[in-house]
Amino acid sequence: MFDQAGETAGRFLEADVRLGVTGLRRAGKTVFTTAVVDNLLRAGRLPFLDVVASGRFQAARLRPQPDADVPRFAFEEHLATITAAQPDWPEPTTGISQLRLAIRYRPNSALRRTLQSVATVNLDIVDYPGEWLLDLPMLRQSFAEWSALSLELAARSPRDALSVDWRGWLSAIDPAGPDEEEEARRGAALYTEYLHACRRAESFLSIIQPGRFVEPGDLKDAPLLTFCPLPGERRGRGTLWALMESRYEAYKSSVVRRFFAEHFARLNRQVVLIDVLGALNAGVSGLGDMKRALEMSLEPFRHGSSGWLDWLFGSKIDRVLFAATKADHIASSQHPNLKGILDSLVAEARRTIRFEGAQVETMALASLKCTETVVTEHEGRTLRCIQGVPVGRDRPTVLYPGEIPDGADAMTVARNRSYRFMPFRPPADAGRDGRGLPHVRLDQALQFLLGDYLE
């Protein structure tokens, strides 16, 4: 009987938590996930993770993941790329992947310690493209509504120049015309080319929808990826409009709703990574597009009174972290200002959202710290600069990227443009001291996302 009680207590103290990791364009989610796992395995650089700071952390180890039909996150491969003799950035992941990490610790509560001296949290990290998160709002939109919004977006600068060929096709076809397969495929191909152009654009466009058009995976050439927005109102059966509408609904049902049911609805915590500095480099258009993308990314967490998100009530997400990445690309004294810019980007959406007991936090961090802050004198001024190896160079360089004004909103900073934030190469000695990859505030991010599970 005592052994049975101990086994029951052991199961009680073994918790599972699913952490979703996604990111807008070029945000570095592959490096984030790699750095999280490496630092939890080594626990040498996590002073602000309470379970480590209090000495209650025992160890962490990789375990077989629970979902056998989801590709495994290639942690070892990505870490090897970052820590190689000639370090490089790993290739970005293009689909969903997963990894399970078991964390053993001593409970903080005296009551829990009487049941079992050591507890375990199984952390399942689910890494998926940001475009998949941005697809979720489509579930509440009809084809006509989605088309109108997409057409309006495509007509604005700088997307208008990128969508010329597709919009030219639109002007030459009749949505009420016959549902010819060749015409549908032509329109879908031009629309897909436009989305790829948005993804490559120097203007740093973030809204890429539908997401599977640019990352089709095993859906390549599937009919449900051969549709595009059409102008006007709903048309009758046998028309090009009806064909496109049916494929849009099939995409929602077979792709978006399936992702929600199989993955998103099972998450407990979510982190959304954002390259705010990259958007600032791109100016007002890039930052405005990112702001709208962030608003769209918050919609799946919203529980409004209209009932249109009844399908979401299965979601268990109760903490969401929005993180401005690559904070090491500016001097450490600028980090509060970078967080302030992120706050201004999500402020409106965060005010209107109504979480059912959920918490939202923002943070400036660097998953892999590539620079050091140094102080230099220039023309009688003391400047806080950064020193690292920029991409394309082979030796450390001291740079002054400019400063983000204190208290300024995002659009004001974007219009100012008195800065240039450069990308850097991974440091040559990353992780060689055995303490885990160097970072900025990764431990604080983990404390917000996991700290209550490790009490």
Side-chain angles (χ1 to χ4, degrees):
M1 180 68 71
F2 180 81
D3 290 342
Q4 184 178 1
E7 183 180 346
T8 301
R11 287 197 300 269
F12 173 74
L13 290 177
E14 184 163 326
D16 296 338
V17 55
R18 293 175 69 88
L19 171 64
V21 177
T22 195
L24 301 186
R25 184 178 178 223
R26 302 175 189 171
K29 65 185 179 65
T30 301
V31 178
F32 175 87
T33 301
T34 302
V36 163
V37 175
D38 185 59
N39 274 282
L40 285 172
L41 288 173
R42 300 176 186 273
R45 282 192 166 90
L46 301 174
F48 290 101
L49 180 58
D50 183 71
V51 71
V52 174
S54 63
R56 296 183 294 108
F57 183 89
Q58 294 275 290
R61 62 177 296 182
L62 293 170
R63 279 185 174 174
Q65 65 192 64
D67 300 317
D69 58 342
V70 177
R72 183 180 184 274
F73 181 81
F75 163 69
E76 295 85 358
E77 178 182 330
H78 298 320
L79 183 63
T81 300
I82 292 170
T83 59
Q86 296 294 326
D88 201 356
W89 296 111
E91 289 295 319
T93 50
T94 57
I96 194 167
S97 61
Q98 186 185 69
L99 200 69
R100 166 166 282 198
L101 192 70
I103 304 170
R104 300 202 72 187
Y105 68 100
R106 292 193 301 277
N108 201 24
S109 162
L111 175 61
R112 295 187 69 192
R113 286 199 301 270
T114 61
L115 295 174
Q116 191 171 359
S117 60
V118 178
T120 302
V121 165
N122 295 313
L123 173 62
D124 295 318
I125 301 176
V126 182
D127 182 298
Y128 65 93
E131 289 88 353
W132 294 17
L133 180 64
L134 298 183
D135 273 356
L136 289 178
M138 295 172 67
L139 290 174
R140 70 175 176 89
Q141 297 170 330
S142 68
F143 178 62
E145 291 169 334
W146 175 75
S147 291
L149 291 171
S150 300
L151 288 164
E152 179 186 358
L153 192 64
R156 297 180 194 163
S157 178
R159 290 176 183 262
D160 55 348
L162 304 175
S163 61
V164 167
D165 291 343
W166 170 59
R167 289 187 296 114
W169 173 83
L170 284 176
S171 66
I173 58 99
D174 179 8
D179 57 349
E180 297 178 357
E181 177 68 18
E182 184 177 349
E183 199 69 82
R185 296 183 69 84
R186 176 61 177 161
L190 289 170
Y191 183 69
T192 302
E193 290 174 10
Y194 153 62
L195 292 182
H196 277 288
C198 291
R199 207 181 197 195
R200 295 190 301 266
E202 291 301 317
S203 47
F204 214 86
L205 300 174
S206 301
I207 302 175
I208 310 293
Q209 192 188 56
R212 298 299 178 93
F213 277 45
V214 293
E215 296 291 355
D218 58 359
L219 294 176
K220 185 178 181 180
D221 298 324
L224 55 73
L225 295 189
T226 52
F227 67 89
C228 69
L230 291 178
E233 300 179 354
R234 188 175 189 180
R235 308 292 179 151
R237 295 178 60 183
T239 63
L240 182 62
W241 174 282
L243 177 63
M244 294 286 200
E245 182 183 39
S246 68
R247 291 180 175 176
Y248 170 81
E249 293 297 333
Y251 181 86
K252 286 166 57 176
S253 177
S254 299
V255 177
V256 185
R257 197 175 295 273
R258 180 180 175 184
F259 166 65
F260 168 77
E262 295 183 359
H263 302 292
F264 189 83
R266 298 166 59 200
L267 298 176
N268 306 107
R269 303 287 159 89
Q270 175 68 58
V271 58
V272 181
L273 306 173
I274 307 118
D275 184 4
V276 175
L277 297 178
L280 288 175
N281 274 343
V284 173
S285 60
L287 201 64
D289 204 74
M290 174 176 283
K291 186 176 187 296
R292 176 59 186 141
L294 287 170
E295 292 169 351
M296 291 172 63
S297 73
L298 276 170
E299 287 191 30
F301 306 101
R302 177 185 268 159
H303 294 265
S305 58
S306 64
W308 65 262
L309 279 181
D310 288 344
W311 53 270
L312 184 57
F313 289 159
S315 178
K316 300 179 294 183
I317 296 173
D318 58 6
R319 291 193 184 188
V320 183
L321 173 66
F322 289 90
T325 58
K326 307 177 185 178
D328 59 327
H329 291 19
I330 57 177
S332 57
S333 59
Q334 287 283 291
H335 294 179
N337 295 351
L338 176 59
K339 180 182 181 298
I341 293 296
L342 178 58
D343 286 336
S344 73
L345 287 171
V346 302
E348 183 178 350
R350 192 162 57 171
R351 279 194 300 268
T352 58
I353 206 165
R354 290 185 295 176
F355 288 91
E356 294 184 347
Q359 300 178 42
V360 186
E361 184 60 85
T362 57
M363 191 174 296
L365 59 79
S367 305
L368 178 63
K369 189 171 184 286
C370 301
T371 70
E372 298 291 339
T373 297
V374 296
V375 177
T376 61
E377 297 290 333
H378 178 71
E379 297 181 352
R381 294 178 59 200
T382 299
L383 301 178
R384 293 188 177 273
C385 303
I386 50 175
Q387 179 173 291
V389 182
V391 171
R393 303 186 190 181
D394 57 5
R395 63 184 61 188
T397 305
V398 175
L399 297 169
Y400 177 68
E403 295 186 354
I404 300 172
D406 180 21
D409 66 81
M411 290 303 174
T412 300
V413 176
R415 292 187 187 97
N416 183 17
R417 303 298 297 276
S418 60
Y419 47 76
R420 182 62 183 173
F421 307 115
M422 297 182 63
F424 288 84
R425 294 171 52 183
D429 58 350
R432 291 184 186 174
D433 58 4
R435 298 173 55 213
L437 295 174
H439 61 83
V440 177
R441 296 187 192 88
L442 196 64
D443 48 351
Q444 294 181 39
L446 289 172
Q447 177 61 30
F448 172 72
L449 293 166
L450 304 176
D452 58 327
Y453 277 90
L454 299 171
E455 282 297 314

